[in-house]
């Protein structure tokens, strides 16, 4: 079946630094990739949608200058949290889609802790 | 706009009990897809089922079964003879043709105890 690899699985960084999270579709080409954020005991909140070769579409309230998304190929999307602060600490999950008919495949998530 | 409601925040059952997780959705689209995912404590999302709006047949997979009723806009999930390993958060989600993205419910935390 379709597999999405997300790295790192966890990261601790100092306040003010930037962190990059990678999301790769291993055995299929993803037309669209999605980035979600999940706070403890809450649902997944969609942050942005990205299509290969074009700018990401951010959801309302998500700072695009803070959460940089690059979708350079059909198998790789990256999320960079710039100038991270403790309030950015969260669980980030990516998802790759081949269209609604074929469904969505999720990465294993990245737990970010900013100290 | 799309919306998914999972009214049950937390459910606690004893092992071997049956449990039903409710999901009610809202959409004006006639073509849409409904999903259920399991999120164990490790955090990854495990795909359980996808159902399109034109297929109202109920589905059974082992101890899992799903009841899709368009008349009540519901897509409920039943676990028969629950086990401790079923303890997780379960999310219902909706994808419509116009949205082309998943809208998640708030999730139901299921705790199965011995």
């Amino acid at each position: 079946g379709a597999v999405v690899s997300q790295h790192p699985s966890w990261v601790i960084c100092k306040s003010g630094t930037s962190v990059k999270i990678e999301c790769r579709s291993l055995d299929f080409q993803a037309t669209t990739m999605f980035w979600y954020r999940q706070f403890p005991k809450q649902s997944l909140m969609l942050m942005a949608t990205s299509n290969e070769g074009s700018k990401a579409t951010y959801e309302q309230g998500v700072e695009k200058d803070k959460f940089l998304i690059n979708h350079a190929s059909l198998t790789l999307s990256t999320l960079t949290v710039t100038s991270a602060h403790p309030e950015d600490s969260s669980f980030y999950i990516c998802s790759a889609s081949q269209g609604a008919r074929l469904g969505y495949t999720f990465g294993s998530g990245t737990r970010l802790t900013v100290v | 706009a799309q919306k998914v409601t999972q009214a049950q925040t937390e459910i606690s059952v004893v092992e071997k009990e049956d449990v039903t997780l409710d999901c009610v959705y809202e959409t004006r689209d006639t073509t849409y897809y409904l999903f259920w995912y399991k999120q164990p404590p490790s955090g990854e999302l495990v795909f359980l089922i996808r159902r399109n709006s034109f297929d109202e047949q109920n589905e059974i997979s082992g101890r899992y079964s799903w009841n899709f009723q368009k008349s009540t806009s519901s897509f409920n999930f039943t676990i028969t003879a629950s086990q401790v390993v079923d303890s997780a958060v379960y999310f219902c989600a909706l994808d419509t043709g116009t949205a082309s993205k998943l809208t998640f419910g708030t999730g139901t935390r299921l705790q199965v105890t011995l």
Side-chain angles (χ1 to χ4, degrees):
Chain A
V3 177
V4 170
S5 174
Q6 183 174 343
H7 290 282
S9 55
W10 60 270
V11 58
I12 301 173
C13 71
K14 289 185 177 180
S15 189
T17 61
S18 296
V19 174
K20 180 184 284 188
I21 302 170
E22 285 193 354
C23 180
R24 290 180 185 273
S25 56
L26 297 185
D27 49 4
F28 68 100
Q29 292 185 329
T31 53
T32 307
M33 286 189 172
F34 304 86
W35 288 95
Y36 295 85
R37 182 174 183 176
Q38 186 180 30
F39 290 107
K41 296 192 176 183
Q42 293 190 22
S43 187
L44 284 77
M45 181 193 79
L46 180 65
M47 299 174 67
T49 303
S50 72
N51 294 292
E52 182 261 343
S54 60
K55 287 185 178 180
T57 301
Y58 290 81
E59 296 296 304
Q60 194 171 12
V62 178
E63 299 175 60
K64 60 181 180 181
D65 293 330
K66 180 164 191 63
F67 299 100
L68 300 179
I69 292 172
N70 184 281
H71 195 159
S73 74
L74 284 171
T75 59
L76 174 65
S77 177
T78 60
L79 166 67
T80 301
V81 183
T82 61
S83 186
H85 290 286
E87 58 265 30
D88 298 323
S89 298
S90 188
F91 191 60
Y92 295 87
I93 309 177
C94 70
S95 171
S97 170
Q98 295 171 275
R101 189 177 62 83
L102 296 176
Y104 301 82
T105 305
F106 285 82
S108 54
T110 297
R111 197 163 302 279
L112 169 64
T113 302
V114 184
V115 298
Chain B
Q2 291 70 233
K3 185 179 179 182
V4 176
T5 301
Q6 294 180 257
Q8 305 149 308
T9 306
E10 292 191 33
I11 300 176
S12 185
V13 299
V14 177
E15 201 176 41
K16 297 184 183 176
E17 286 185 6
D18 298 346
V19 58
T20 296
L21 310 181
D22 298 333
C23 173
V24 174
Y25 62 93
E26 294 177 31
T27 178
R28 291 185 177 181
D29 285 11
T30 55
T31 302
Y32 51 88
Y33 296 83
L34 293 161
F35 300 77
W36 274 96
Y37 290 90
K38 174 182 180 180
Q39 187 178 41
S42 55
E44 80 274 20
L45 281 175
V46 178
F47 168 78
L48 297 178
I49 190 171
R50 176 180 67 247
R51 175 66 52 171
N52 76 57
S53 53
F54 300 107
D55 182 3
E56 285 193 75
Q57 279 191 339
N58 292 329
E59 182 156 340
I60 298 175
S61 176
R63 295 184 297 107
Y64 295 169
S65 63
W66 291 269
N67 183 282
F68 178 28
Q69 292 199 345
K70 288 178 77 170
S71 60
T72 55
S73 297
S74 64
F75 187 43
N76 297 336
F77 171 35
T78 298
I79 301 174
T80 303
S82 60
Q83 300 176 1
V84 173
V85 294
D86 296 327
S87 297
V89 179
Y90 291 86
F91 290 99
C92 180
L94 168 69
D95 179 15
T96 67
T98 52
S100 296
K101 60 184 179 182
L102 284 175
T103 298
F104 282 89
T106 50
T108 298
R109 182 175 300 273
L110 174 64
Q111 184 73 40
V112 182
T113 56
L114 292 171

